mmCIF file with all atom_site columns, all heavy atoms in Angstrom:
data_model
loop_
_atom_site.group_PDB
_atom_site.id
_atom_site.type_symbol
_atom_site.label_atom_id
_atom_site.label_alt_id
_atom_site.label_comp_id
_atom_site.label_asym_id
_atom_site.label_entity_id
_atom_site.label_seq_id
_atom_site.pdbx_PDB_ins_code
_atom_site.Cartn_x
_atom_site.Cartn_y
_atom_site.Cartn_z
_atom_site.occupancy
_atom_site.B_iso_or_equiv
_atom_site.pdbx_formal_charge
_atom_site.auth_seq_id
_atom_site.auth_comp_id
_atom_site.auth_asym_id
_atom_site.auth_atom_id
_atom_site.pdbx_PDB_model_num
ATOM 1  N N   . PHE A 1 102 ? 110.533 84.103 88.688 1.00 0.00 ? 113 PHE A N   1
ATOM 2  C CA  . PHE A 1 102 ? 109.254 83.345 88.714 1.00 0.00 ? 113 PHE A CA  1
ATOM 3  C C   . PHE A 1 102 ? 109.145 82.352 87.606 1.00 0.00 ? 113 PHE A C   1
ATOM 4  O O   . PHE A 1 102 ? 108.785 81.256 87.756 1.00 0.00 ? 113 PHE A O   1
ATOM 5  C CB  . PHE A 1 102 ? 108.001 84.379 88.732 1.00 0.00 ? 113 PHE A CB  1
ATOM 6  C CG  . PHE A 1 102 ? 106.733 83.658 88.893 1.00 0.00 ? 113 PHE A CG  1
ATOM 7  C CD1 . PHE A 1 102 ? 106.167 83.413 90.163 1.00 0.00 ? 113 PHE A CD1 1
ATOM 8  C CD2 . PHE A 1 102 ? 106.056 83.152 87.836 1.00 0.00 ? 113 PHE A CD2 1
ATOM 9  C CE1 . PHE A 1 102 ? 104.978 82.697 90.256 1.00 0.00 ? 113 PHE A CE1 1
ATOM 10 C CE2 . PHE A 1 102 ? 104.783 82.480 87.941 1.00 0.00 ? 113 PHE A CE2 1
ATOM 11 C CZ  . PHE A 1 102 ? 104.360 82.266 89.273 1.00 0.00 ? 113 PHE A CZ  1
ATOM 12 N N   . ARG A 1 103 ? 109.456 82.931 86.405 1.00 0.00 ? 114 ARG A N   1
ATOM 13 C CA  . ARG A 1 103 ? 109.477 82.129 85.174 1.00 0.00 ? 114 ARG A CA  1
ATOM 14 C C   . ARG A 1 103 ? 110.418 80.903 85.324 1.00 0.00 ? 114 ARG A C   1
ATOM 15 O O   . ARG A 1 103 ? 110.029 79.854 85.042 1.00 0.00 ? 114 ARG A O   1
ATOM 16 C CB  . ARG A 1 103 ? 109.761 82.992 83.986 1.00 0.00 ? 114 ARG A CB  1
ATOM 17 C CG  . ARG A 1 103 ? 109.615 82.241 82.603 1.00 0.00 ? 114 ARG A CG  1
ATOM 18 C CD  . ARG A 1 103 ? 109.829 83.219 81.481 1.00 0.00 ? 114 ARG A CD  1
ATOM 19 N NE  . ARG A 1 103 ? 109.079 84.400 81.428 1.00 0.00 ? 114 ARG A NE  1
ATOM 20 C CZ  . ARG A 1 103 ? 107.624 84.427 81.144 1.00 0.00 ? 114 ARG A CZ  1
ATOM 21 N NH1 . ARG A 1 103 ? 107.133 83.353 80.797 1.00 0.00 ? 114 ARG A NH1 1
ATOM 22 N NH2 . ARG A 1 103 ? 107.028 85.507 81.163 1.00 0.00 ? 114 ARG A NH2 1
ATOM 23 N N   . GLU A 1 104 ? 111.650 81.276 85.950 1.00 0.00 ? 115 GLU A N   1
ATOM 24 C CA  . GLU A 1 104 ? 112.504 80.180 86.025 1.00 0.00 ? 115 GLU A CA  1
ATOM 25 C C   . GLU A 1 104 ? 112.130 79.146 87.102 1.00 0.00 ? 115 GLU A C   1
ATOM 26 O O   . GLU A 1 104 ? 112.338 77.916 86.958 1.00 0.00 ? 115 GLU A O   1
ATOM 27 C CB  . GLU A 1 104 ? 113.937 80.807 86.434 1.00 0.00 ? 115 GLU A CB  1
ATOM 28 C CG  . GLU A 1 104 ? 115.079 79.832 86.529 1.00 0.00 ? 115 GLU A CG  1
ATOM 29 C CD  . GLU A 1 104 ? 116.360 80.518 86.839 1.00 0.00 ? 115 GLU A CD  1
ATOM 30 O OE1 . GLU A 1 104 ? 116.755 81.401 86.025 1.00 0.00 ? 115 GLU A OE1 1
ATOM 31 O OE2 . GLU A 1 104 ? 117.036 80.207 87.792 1.00 0.00 ? 115 GLU A OE2 1
ATOM 32 N N   . ALA A 1 105 ? 111.437 79.458 88.113 1.00 0.00 ? 116 ALA A N   1
ATOM 33 C CA  . ALA A 1 105 ? 111.109 78.668 89.221 1.00 0.00 ? 116 ALA A CA  1
ATOM 34 C C   . ALA A 1 105 ? 109.814 77.872 88.907 1.00 0.00 ? 116 ALA A C   1
ATOM 35 O O   . ALA A 1 105 ? 109.501 76.813 89.495 1.00 0.00 ? 116 ALA A O   1
ATOM 36 C CB  . ALA A 1 105 ? 110.730 79.477 90.520 1.00 0.00 ? 116 ALA A CB  1
ATOM 37 N N   . SER A 1 106 ? 109.079 78.246 87.753 1.00 0.00 ? 117 SER A N   1
ATOM 38 C CA  . SER A 1 106 ? 107.838 77.590 87.512 1.00 0.00 ? 117 SER A CA  1
ATOM 39 C C   . SER A 1 106 ? 108.077 76.199 86.739 1.00 0.00 ? 117 SER A C   1
ATOM 40 O O   . SER A 1 106 ? 109.004 76.314 85.806 1.00 0.00 ? 117 SER A O   1
ATOM 41 C CB  . SER A 1 106 ? 106.972 78.468 86.563 1.00 0.00 ? 117 SER A CB  1
ATOM 42 O OG  . SER A 1 106 ? 106.631 79.649 87.274 1.00 0.00 ? 117 SER A OG  1
ATOM 43 N N   . VAL A 1 107 ? 107.456 75.241 87.158 1.00 0.00 ? 118 VAL A N   1
ATOM 44 C CA  . VAL A 1 107 ? 107.586 73.942 86.413 1.00 0.00 ? 118 VAL A CA  1
ATOM 45 C C   . VAL A 1 107 ? 107.161 74.100 84.959 1.00 0.00 ? 118 VAL A C   1
ATOM 46 O O   . VAL A 1 107 ? 107.713 73.589 84.017 1.00 0.00 ? 118 VAL A O   1
ATOM 47 C CB  . VAL A 1 107 ? 106.870 72.876 87.207 1.00 0.00 ? 118 VAL A CB  1
ATOM 48 C CG1 . VAL A 1 107 ? 106.913 71.543 86.416 1.00 0.00 ? 118 VAL A CG1 1
ATOM 49 C CG2 . VAL A 1 107 ? 107.425 72.702 88.597 1.00 0.00 ? 118 VAL A CG2 1
ATOM 50 N N   . VAL A 1 108 ? 105.872 74.680 84.846 1.00 0.00 ? 119 VAL A N   1
ATOM 51 C CA  . VAL A 1 108 ? 105.412 75.044 83.506 1.00 0.00 ? 119 VAL A CA  1
ATOM 52 C C   . VAL A 1 108 ? 105.277 76.575 83.460 1.00 0.00 ? 119 VAL A C   1
ATOM 53 O O   . VAL A 1 108 ? 104.331 77.172 83.931 1.00 0.00 ? 119 VAL A O   1
ATOM 54 C CB  . VAL A 1 108 ? 103.970 74.412 83.354 1.00 0.00 ? 119 VAL A CB  1
ATOM 55 C CG1 . VAL A 1 108 ? 103.355 74.700 82.020 1.00 0.00 ? 119 VAL A CG1 1
ATOM 56 C CG2 . VAL A 1 108 ? 103.935 72.970 83.690 1.00 0.00 ? 119 VAL A CG2 1
ATOM 57 N N   . PRO A 1 109 ? 106.290 77.248 82.855 1.00 0.00 ? 120 PRO A N   1
ATOM 58 C CA  . PRO A 1 109 ? 106.308 78.662 82.785 1.00 0.00 ? 120 PRO A CA  1
ATOM 59 C C   . PRO A 1 109 ? 105.125 79.174 82.014 1.00 0.00 ? 120 PRO A C   1
ATOM 60 O O   . PRO A 1 109 ? 104.661 78.552 81.064 1.00 0.00 ? 120 PRO A O   1
ATOM 61 C CB  . PRO A 1 109 ? 107.557 79.014 81.925 1.00 0.00 ? 120 PRO A CB  1
ATOM 62 C CG  . PRO A 1 109 ? 108.427 77.740 82.191 1.00 0.00 ? 120 PRO A CG  1
ATOM 63 C CD  . PRO A 1 109 ? 107.487 76.574 82.246 1.00 0.00 ? 120 PRO A CD  1
ATOM 64 N N   . ASP A 1 110 ? 104.640 80.353 82.431 1.00 0.00 ? 121 ASP A N   1
ATOM 65 C CA  . ASP A 1 110 ? 103.535 81.202 81.712 1.00 0.00 ? 121 ASP A CA  1
ATOM 66 C C   . ASP A 1 110 ? 104.019 81.478 80.426 1.00 0.00 ? 121 ASP A C   1
ATOM 67 O O   . ASP A 1 110 ? 105.319 81.771 80.202 1.00 0.00 ? 121 ASP A O   1
ATOM 68 C CB  . ASP A 1 110 ? 103.169 82.383 82.596 1.00 0.00 ? 121 ASP A CB  1
ATOM 69 C CG  . ASP A 1 110 ? 102.562 82.081 83.899 1.00 0.00 ? 121 ASP A CG  1
ATOM 70 O OD1 . ASP A 1 110 ? 101.720 81.188 84.010 1.00 0.00 ? 121 ASP A OD1 1
ATOM 71 O OD2 . ASP A 1 110 ? 102.944 82.726 84.901 1.00 0.00 ? 121 ASP A OD2 1
ATOM 72 N N   . GLU A 1 111 ? 103.037 81.670 79.445 1.00 0.00 ? 122 GLU A N   1
ATOM 73 C CA  . GLU A 1 111 ? 103.447 82.167 78.137 1.00 0.00 ? 122 GLU A CA  1
ATOM 74 C C   . GLU A 1 111 ? 103.813 83.614 78.306 1.00 0.00 ? 122 GLU A C   1
ATOM 75 O O   . GLU A 1 111 ? 103.392 84.368 79.220 1.00 0.00 ? 122 GLU A O   1
ATOM 76 C CB  . GLU A 1 111 ? 102.164 82.211 77.233 1.00 0.00 ? 122 GLU A CB  1
ATOM 77 C CG  . GLU A 1 111 ? 101.680 80.805 76.813 1.00 0.00 ? 122 GLU A CG  1
ATOM 78 C CD  . GLU A 1 111 ? 102.680 80.075 75.975 1.00 0.00 ? 122 GLU A CD  1
ATOM 79 O OE1 . GLU A 1 111 ? 103.268 80.768 75.087 1.00 0.00 ? 122 GLU A OE1 1
ATOM 80 O OE2 . GLU A 1 111 ? 102.888 78.820 76.222 1.00 0.00 ? 122 GLU A OE2 1
ATOM 81 N N   . PRO A 1 112 ? 104.772 84.174 77.403 1.00 0.00 ? 123 PRO A N   1
ATOM 82 C CA  . PRO A 1 112 ? 105.122 85.613 77.575 1.00 0.00 ? 123 PRO A CA  1
ATOM 83 C C   . PRO A 1 112 ? 103.874 86.464 77.534 1.00 0.00 ? 123 PRO A C   1
ATOM 84 O O   . PRO A 1 112 ? 103.021 86.290 76.727 1.00 0.00 ? 123 PRO A O   1
ATOM 85 C CB  . PRO A 1 112 ? 105.987 85.743 76.286 1.00 0.00 ? 123 PRO A CB  1
ATOM 86 C CG  . PRO A 1 112 ? 106.596 84.366 75.971 1.00 0.00 ? 123 PRO A CG  1
ATOM 87 C CD  . PRO A 1 112 ? 105.455 83.439 76.396 1.00 0.00 ? 123 PRO A CD  1
ATOM 88 N N   . GLY A 1 113 ? 103.848 87.373 78.430 1.00 0.00 ? 124 GLY A N   1
ATOM 89 C CA  . GLY A 1 113 ? 102.736 88.322 78.515 1.00 0.00 ? 124 GLY A CA  1
ATOM 90 C C   . GLY A 1 113 ? 101.675 87.768 79.594 1.00 0.00 ? 124 GLY A C   1
ATOM 91 O O   . GLY A 1 113 ? 100.788 88.551 79.988 1.00 0.00 ? 124 GLY A O   1
#
Side-chain angles (χ1 to χ4, degrees):
F113 184 92
R114 187 174 305 283
E115 186 176 301
S117 298
V118 176
V119 180
D121 295 313
E122 292 294 320

